[in-house]
Amino acid sequence: MARQDPHSYADLDQGRLTEVALFLRVDFAARQLKGRARLTLAEPVSGDLVLDTLDLAIDGISTTEGAPIPFDVSAPDPVLGSRLTLRLPASTSAFDVRYATSPEASALQWLDPSQTAGGVHPYLFSQCQAIHARALVPLQDTPRVRIGLRAEIEVKKPLRVVMAAAADGERPGGDEQHSTWLFHMPQPIPPYLIALAAGNIHPQTVGPRSVVYAEPEVLERAAWEFGGVEDMLQTAEGIFGPYRWERFDLLCMPPSFPYGGMENPRLTFLTPTLLAGDRSQVNVVAHELAHSWTGNLVTNADMEHFWLNEGFTVYAERRILEALEGPEYMALHAAIGRAGLAREMARFGEGSPYTRLRTELDGVDPDEVFSLVPYEKGFLLVQLISETVGRERFDEFLKAYIAEFSFQSITTERWEQFVEAKLPGVLAQIGADRWLRGSSIPENEPTFASRRKELVDELAAAWQSGERPTTEVADAWSPEEWVLYLQGLPGTIERADCEALDTTFGLTAQGNAEILVEWLCLAVRSGHGPAIDRALGFLGEMGRMKYLKPLYTALAASPETKGRARALFEEVRASYHPIAQAVVESVLR
Ligand code: BES
Ligand code: ZN
């Protein structure tokens, strides 16, 4: 048996899935999706076919005529789940799996009404990246495969189902109390982009190709915050070429959504922590939009090449915002990203294999090694190539790259071949191999000149000699400058200084979550009481891992606050996504 992806049991020499059709009922009481999947193969297959599953209860598998197909489910591997082996009759081109998901399915979060904005209806959402699609439906869970998707999802009225797919409306369900929502996906996608949500979800139009979906209680705010999306789409098309997914809708998630955003095609999922009331966090929208080219059109072959998705997308995100907000934007965001990368490198330690771009992840859970490295080191490499060949040539390269590999999955090695063909010599010139396979940041990293960044850096560096920001200066700062300033301060400061900063600038009451969390980490480490209370409060309000990790880490640094953090976690644990629970556990261990 030849496996191609270290995170999948699939052997693509046996055959390839080409379509997944889901016929499922959302059972909130049992916390299960139940029903049937019809899996279609690209070519008829006879004999063994291996699929990925995780925690699925499989009732039976049969041919499309109803004849039983023998199958075997292996004992679960902690990372990969269970291998499902089917013995297909001669020339099988499609088959049906009757199954149910587990109430603990890692791909799903089931929310009680109390965990939603409205407080009345339950809510369900999926998150399949990196390797959780197998907990939703048995399939070849590797991005080397692309599938078409159809779905009929039944849910209790008056709830709505949304999917990352074209919506084909609603029709009566199996009984009076249910209705069925229909979908099909015209573009082939890797399995990790399958996505659905069900709840009291309503749309508001924000552009010719976009609605924002949210619970009614937050819909107005969300629609305003993300109202600039059509401008972004047009700007992005100018840089990367036509948008190939027709619609770009946005789903504002409940607060426990574990990521900032997820690029589910046609329907990006976004955390409500972006709702600052001033559109200051729309870089996350730009990022998920940028994945429509880098990630969703040109896809990493597996998680060992994840930097191809994220490094390119951070670069693309910053290009979109540079075009919309001006050149200083790229510099400020690059600086924030660089500081985050430095922290991440320090956390992994000198020589760690996880500080490489091209990784080797046999036996490694991708959720456990998730970091900023593929994002920010990847960004630096792309930026370096762009600076080396010049932007005009690079933009031409980008368009050719996207055209060449659209709807395909590629490895780092294939990418290197393509770069060599289009931009001969550049990889050698910049020492790309060290960037890709070395575990540090080479000294030829690009730098970004920005007067505003310099001023903030100087002021932060002068902290030790007693200099403080005046209201005159700091009131003119953008959120990015605030984050940079706080990143530049010493790891801990005097309590009296915390109080003074807080009184002057109201940092503990900040509405921008990026500034808030940067501040809270510093102030918690410094023992500032109000920040400790706010940190615990914030950790009870949302479950975005980007914030859980540093805040719990800061609280865990002293025994007293660690005790309070533990007590809080015991209380709110069930409100966090399963993946987020594991992250917090590892911090508090
Ligand atoms: N695709 C990622 C989220 C992800 C990565 C989920 C790996 C599961 C496994 C998404 O595009 C992302 O990177 N989100 C960032 C946004 C940021 C970089 C602007 C986030 O969640 O913070
Ligand atoms: Zn991303």
mmCIF file of all heavy atoms in Angstrom, residues 511-530:
data_model
loop_
_atom_site.group_PDB
_atom_site.id
_atom_site.type_symbol
_atom_site.label_atom_id
_atom_site.label_comp_id
_atom_site.label_asym_id
_atom_site.label_seq_id
_atom_site.Cartn_x
_atom_site.Cartn_y
_atom_site.Cartn_z
ATOM 1 N N GLY A 511 -11.806 47.981 22.685
ATOM 2 C CA GLY A 511 -12.726 47.204 21.863
ATOM 3 C C GLY A 511 -12.029 46.453 20.737
ATOM 4 O O GLY A 511 -12.599 45.540 20.152
ATOM 5 N N ASN A 512 -10.800 46.856 20.420
ATOM 6 C CA ASN A 512 -10.034 46.134 19.395
ATOM 7 C C ASN A 512 -9.313 44.972 20.082
ATOM 8 O O ASN A 512 -8.440 45.169 20.921
ATOM 9 C CB ASN A 512 -9.039 47.086 18.723
ATOM 10 C CG ASN A 512 -8.202 46.378 17.678
ATOM 11 O OD1 ASN A 512 -7.490 45.417 17.976
ATOM 12 N ND2 ASN A 512 -8.282 46.828 16.435
ATOM 13 N N ALA A 513 -9.693 43.740 19.720
ATOM 14 C CA ALA A 513 -9.192 42.564 20.444
ATOM 15 C C ALA A 513 -7.683 42.383 20.293
ATOM 16 O O ALA A 513 -7.027 41.838 21.186
ATOM 17 C CB ALA A 513 -9.931 41.308 19.984
ATOM 18 N N GLU A 514 -7.110 42.833 19.174
ATOM 19 C CA GLU A 514 -5.656 42.699 18.991
ATOM 20 C C GLU A 514 -4.907 43.543 20.018
ATOM 21 O O GLU A 514 -3.943 43.086 20.643
ATOM 22 C CB GLU A 514 -5.248 43.125 17.577
ATOM 23 C CG GLU A 514 -5.750 42.212 16.477
ATOM 24 C CD GLU A 514 -5.075 40.848 16.467
ATOM 25 O OE1 GLU A 514 -3.845 40.782 16.639
ATOM 26 O OE2 GLU A 514 -5.794 39.843 16.287
ATOM 27 N N ILE A 515 -5.351 44.798 20.187
ATOM 28 C CA ILE A 515 -4.728 45.677 21.185
ATOM 29 C C ILE A 515 -5.013 45.131 22.583
ATOM 30 O O ILE A 515 -4.113 45.027 23.429
ATOM 31 C CB ILE A 515 -5.272 47.115 21.080
ATOM 32 C CG1 ILE A 515 -5.058 47.682 19.677
ATOM 33 C CG2 ILE A 515 -4.629 48.021 22.131
ATOM 34 C CD1 ILE A 515 -5.674 49.067 19.467
ATOM 35 N N LEU A 516 -6.281 44.772 22.806
ATOM 36 C CA LEU A 516 -6.685 44.292 24.129
ATOM 37 C C LEU A 516 -5.812 43.133 24.586
ATOM 38 O O LEU A 516 -5.287 43.134 25.701
ATOM 39 C CB LEU A 516 -8.162 43.862 24.097
ATOM 40 C CG LEU A 516 -8.689 43.289 25.418
ATOM 41 C CD1 LEU A 516 -8.793 44.379 26.484
ATOM 42 C CD2 LEU A 516 -10.047 42.606 25.229
ATOM 43 N N VAL A 517 -5.638 42.126 23.730
ATOM 44 C CA VAL A 517 -4.922 40.919 24.155
ATOM 45 C C VAL A 517 -3.431 41.223 24.361
ATOM 46 O O VAL A 517 -2.816 40.746 25.314
ATOM 47 C CB VAL A 517 -5.152 39.767 23.154
ATOM 48 C CG1 VAL A 517 -4.243 38.580 23.452
ATOM 49 C CG2 VAL A 517 -6.617 39.343 23.197
ATOM 50 N N GLU A 518 -2.857 42.047 23.482
ATOM 51 C CA GLU A 518 -1.449 42.423 23.656
ATOM 52 C C GLU A 518 -1.266 43.117 25.009
ATOM 53 O O GLU A 518 -0.330 42.829 25.758
ATOM 54 C CB GLU A 518 -1.053 43.356 22.498
ATOM 55 C CG GLU A 518 0.416 43.479 22.257
ATOM 56 C CD GLU A 518 1.093 42.159 21.901
ATOM 57 O OE1 GLU A 518 0.565 41.406 21.053
ATOM 58 O OE2 GLU A 518 2.159 41.892 22.483
ATOM 59 N N TRP A 519 -2.185 44.018 25.310
ATOM 60 C CA TRP A 519 -2.145 44.742 26.580
ATOM 61 C C TRP A 519 -2.368 43.804 27.766
ATOM 62 O O TRP A 519 -1.621 43.813 28.735
ATOM 63 C CB TRP A 519 -3.197 45.859 26.572
ATOM 64 C CG TRP A 519 -3.550 46.358 27.942
ATOM 65 C CD1 TRP A 519 -4.739 46.195 28.597
ATOM 66 C CD2 TRP A 519 -2.707 47.104 28.847
ATOM 67 N NE1 TRP A 519 -4.692 46.762 29.829
ATOM 68 C CE2 TRP A 519 -3.447 47.337 30.016
ATOM 69 C CE3 TRP A 519 -1.392 47.573 28.778
ATOM 70 C CZ2 TRP A 519 -2.946 48.029 31.113
ATOM 71 C CZ3 TRP A 519 -0.877 48.275 29.877
ATOM 72 C CH2 TRP A 519 -1.647 48.491 31.024
ATOM 73 N N LEU A 520 -3.404 42.990 27.682
ATOM 74 C CA LEU A 520 -3.727 42.118 28.812
ATOM 75 C C LEU A 520 -2.568 41.181 29.140
ATOM 76 O O LEU A 520 -2.268 40.943 30.305
ATOM 77 C CB LEU A 520 -5.012 41.317 28.550
ATOM 78 C CG LEU A 520 -6.322 42.123 28.545
ATOM 79 C CD1 LEU A 520 -7.517 41.213 28.251
ATOM 80 C CD2 LEU A 520 -6.537 42.881 29.865
ATOM 81 N N CYS A 521 -1.894 40.664 28.119
ATOM 82 C CA CYS A 521 -0.769 39.755 28.388
ATOM 83 C C CYS A 521 0.316 40.482 29.179
ATOM 84 O O CYS A 521 0.816 39.966 30.183
ATOM 85 C CB CYS A 521 -0.199 39.207 27.080
ATOM 86 S SG CYS A 521 -1.293 38.001 26.335
ATOM 87 N N LEU A 522 0.663 41.675 28.732
ATOM 88 C CA LEU A 522 1.675 42.467 29.426
ATOM 89 C C LEU A 522 1.222 42.801 30.849
ATOM 90 O O LEU A 522 1.963 42.632 31.820
ATOM 91 C CB LEU A 522 1.939 43.759 28.627
ATOM 92 C CG LEU A 522 2.765 44.849 29.317
ATOM 93 C CD1 LEU A 522 4.187 44.352 29.583
ATOM 94 C CD2 LEU A 522 2.806 46.126 28.471
ATOM 95 N N ALA A 523 -0.022 43.265 30.975
ATOM 96 C CA ALA A 523 -0.504 43.735 32.273
ATOM 97 C C ALA A 523 -0.742 42.573 33.250
ATOM 98 O O ALA A 523 -0.533 42.713 34.448
ATOM 99 C CB ALA A 523 -1.775 44.564 32.074
ATOM 100 N N VAL A 524 -1.159 41.426 32.719
ATOM 101 C CA VAL A 524 -1.333 40.244 33.582
ATOM 102 C C VAL A 524 0.033 39.807 34.119
ATOM 103 O O VAL A 524 0.204 39.568 35.313
ATOM 104 C CB VAL A 524 -2.015 39.090 32.810
ATOM 105 C CG1 VAL A 524 -1.835 37.760 33.536
ATOM 106 C CG2 VAL A 524 -3.497 39.385 32.599
ATOM 107 N N ARG A 525 1.014 39.717 33.227
ATOM 108 C CA ARG A 525 2.364 39.341 33.669
ATOM 109 C C ARG A 525 2.898 40.322 34.706
ATOM 110 O O ARG A 525 3.682 39.972 35.571
ATOM 111 C CB ARG A 525 3.332 39.299 32.468
ATOM 112 C CG ARG A 525 3.187 38.068 31.590
ATOM 113 C CD ARG A 525 4.359 37.964 30.601
ATOM 114 N NE ARG A 525 4.527 39.169 29.805
ATOM 115 C CZ ARG A 525 4.042 39.343 28.566
ATOM 116 N NH1 ARG A 525 3.369 38.364 27.988
ATOM 117 N NH2 ARG A 525 4.229 40.465 27.914
ATOM 118 N N SER A 526 2.442 41.586 34.588
ATOM 119 C CA SER A 526 2.915 42.628 35.502
ATOM 120 C C SER A 526 2.095 42.700 36.784
ATOM 121 O O SER A 526 2.350 43.547 37.633
ATOM 122 C CB SER A 526 2.891 43.988 34.792
ATOM 123 O OG SER A 526 3.590 43.904 33.570
ATOM 124 N N GLY A 527 1.064 41.853 36.895
ATOM 125 C CA GLY A 527 0.275 41.796 38.126
ATOM 126 C C GLY A 527 -0.772 42.898 38.278
ATOM 127 O O GLY A 527 -1.200 43.208 39.386
ATOM 128 N N HIS A 528 -1.201 43.466 37.165
ATOM 129 C CA HIS A 528 -2.192 44.555 37.192
ATOM 130 C C HIS A 528 -3.597 43.955 37.392
ATOM 131 O O HIS A 528 -4.139 43.301 36.487
ATOM 132 C CB HIS A 528 -2.087 45.299 35.861
ATOM 133 C CG HIS A 528 -3.020 46.467 35.704
ATOM 134 N ND1 HIS A 528 -3.179 47.452 36.658
ATOM 135 C CD2 HIS A 528 -3.847 46.809 34.673
ATOM 136 C CE1 HIS A 528 -4.056 48.355 36.217
ATOM 137 N NE2 HIS A 528 -4.481 47.980 35.022
ATOM 138 N N GLY A 529 -4.172 44.161 38.577
ATOM 139 C CA GLY A 529 -5.443 43.527 38.954
ATOM 140 C C GLY A 529 -6.567 43.639 37.949
ATOM 141 O O GLY A 529 -7.158 42.625 37.546
ATOM 142 N N PRO A 530 -6.903 44.853 37.504
ATOM 143 C CA PRO A 530 -8.019 44.985 36.560
ATOM 144 C C PRO A 530 -7.805 44.182 35.276
ATOM 145 O O PRO A 530 -8.751 43.655 34.695
ATOM 146 C CB PRO A 530 -8.038 46.490 36.246
ATOM 147 C CG PRO A 530 -7.380 47.145 37.408
ATOM 148 C CD PRO A 530 -6.353 46.167 37.907
#
